[in-house]
């Protein structure tokens, strides 16, 4: 079956702009989580959505937001981009989110200039 | 904060078993031990997970001590393609994973 698909794979944005990233989970998976990976901070949890509701949230400013649609596809948005938002953004899907494995996409590499 | 402690790096000879240790002394009764790995610039890949019994799948074996305060991931015959960062995670919150620094495993010919 198809894996987790993230689009776009690469993105360059200017400071102050906003960006929307997309994630299509594995068919049948209802939980989608987002992570930010930077060389300095490593892999950090952003938020998790389950059945269109945000179930968990990491320690990130309000400029980072997300949503999930009825077909489980998810988007995350970052507003007022800062240079420090340059990172690999990863999406992971799992069947129900509890005590099951998560499957990651290849990520979106965001560069803010 | 991550609830696990792993060595920063390890080397392994190709074809030999790679044994990656992980300490999780504060693990609670309903937390599972998960292992993921990340090959350079790719998304993390699930390897295996367990609660208290040892587990084996086509990729690896997971040995959890009886007191559950530590575990070992075993790659029985390491290949060059197993070179990656390996993350040990204790988790009872499903798709909300707390990653630590992981162990950078280098498999050498």
């Amino acid at each position: 079956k198809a894996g987790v698909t993230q689009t776009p794979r690469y993105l360059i944005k200017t400071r102050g702009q906003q960006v929307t990233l997309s994630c299509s989970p594995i068919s049948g998976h209802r939980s989608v989580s987002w992570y930010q990976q930077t060389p300095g901070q490593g892999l950090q949890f952003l938020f998790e959505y389950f059945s269109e509701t945000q179930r968990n949230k990491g320690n990130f400013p309000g400029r980072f937001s997300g949503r999930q649609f009825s077909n489980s596809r998810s988007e995350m948005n970052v507003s007022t981009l800062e240079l420090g938002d340059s990172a690999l953004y990863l999406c992971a899907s799992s069947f129900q989110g509890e005590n099951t494995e998560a499957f990651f996409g290849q990520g979106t590499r965001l560069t803010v200039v | 904060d991550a609830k696990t402690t792993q060595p920063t790096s390890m080397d392994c000879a190709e074809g030999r078993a790679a044994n990656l240790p992980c300490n999780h002394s504060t693990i609670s009764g309903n937390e599972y031990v998960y292992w993921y790995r990340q090959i350079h610039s790719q998304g993390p890949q699930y390897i295996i997970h367990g609660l208290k019994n040892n587990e084996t799948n086509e990729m690896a074996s997971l040995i959890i001590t009886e007191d559950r305060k530590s575990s070992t991931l075993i790659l029985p015959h390491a290949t060059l393609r197993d070179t990656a960062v390996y993350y040990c995670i204790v988790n009872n919150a499903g798709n909300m994973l707390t990653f630590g620094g992981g162990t950078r495993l280098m498999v050498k010919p």
Side-chain angles (χ1 to χ4, degrees):
Chain A
K1 56 184 175 181
V4 178
T5 304
Q6 292 189 245
T7 57
R9 289 294 311 278
Y10 302 92
L11 206 49
I12 299 175
K13 289 286 189 179
T14 304
R15 271 183 302 174
Q17 288 186 313
Q18 73 162 14
V19 67
T20 299
L21 311 181
S22 179
C23 172
S24 293
I26 291 171
S27 178
H29 285 191
R30 296 165 63 191
S31 169
V32 174
S33 287
W34 289 89
Y35 297 82
Q36 182 196 65
Q37 185 170 29
T38 60
Q41 298 298 317
L43 267 159
Q44 293 185 285
F45 171 78
L46 279 157
F47 28 66
E48 181 206 6
Y49 285 86
F50 183 84
S51 293
E52 302 179 65
T53 301
Q54 188 180 86
R55 186 158 69 173
N56 291 293
K57 188 177 189 306
N59 188 26
F60 277 82
R63 299 186 297 108
F64 293 82
S65 63
R67 60 178 175 168
Q68 187 179 33
F69 302 95
S70 58
N71 62 357
S72 294
R73 190 178 70 85
S74 177
E75 290 181 345
M76 69 162 282
N77 185 77
V78 188
S79 62
T80 319
L81 283 165
E82 301 176 359
L83 294 179
D85 297 333
S86 295
L88 180 66
Y89 289 88
L90 291 156
C91 161
S93 79
S94 67
F95 177 60
Q96 61 178 16
E98 293 184 357
N99 296 326
T100 57
E101 58 268 37
F103 296 85
F104 284 79
Q106 291 303 301
T108 293
R109 173 76 60 185
L110 172 65
T111 302
V112 182
V113 297
Chain B
D1 291 336
K3 297 191 263 187
T4 62
T5 304
Q6 300 177 251
T8 304
S9 63
M10 292 182 63
D11 290 344
C12 177
E14 188 178 20
R16 303 296 295 269
N19 296 282
L20 291 89
C22 179
N23 286 321
H24 32 79
S25 58
T26 60
I27 192 170
S28 55
N30 62 348
E31 287 184 313
Y32 283 69
V33 179
Y34 284 80
W35 284 83
Y36 287 81
R37 72 180 182 184
Q38 187 174 28
I39 297 169
H40 184 61
S41 295
Q42 297 183 20
Q45 177 189 24
Y46 165 81
I47 301 172
I48 198 167
H49 74 287
L51 185 62
K52 49 180 124 173
N53 298 322
N54 298 337
E55 302 287 344
T56 296
N57 62 20
E58 65 279 3
M59 288 184 67
S61 295
L62 173 61
I63 308 297
I64 303 174
T65 58
E66 194 168 338
D67 63 7
R68 304 210 322 124
K69 292 185 177 182
S70 66
S71 61
T72 301
L73 178 75
I74 302 171
L75 308 178
H77 305 287
T79 71
L80 299 179
R81 288 180 295 181
D82 292 321
T83 292
V85 178
Y86 286 77
Y87 296 98
C88 169
I89 300 169
V90 295
N91 182 41
N92 65 350
N95 203 4
M96 183 177 82
L97 301 170
T98 301
F99 287 84
T103 296
R104 187 171 300 275
L105 175 69
M106 179 74 71
V107 180
K108 299 184 174 180

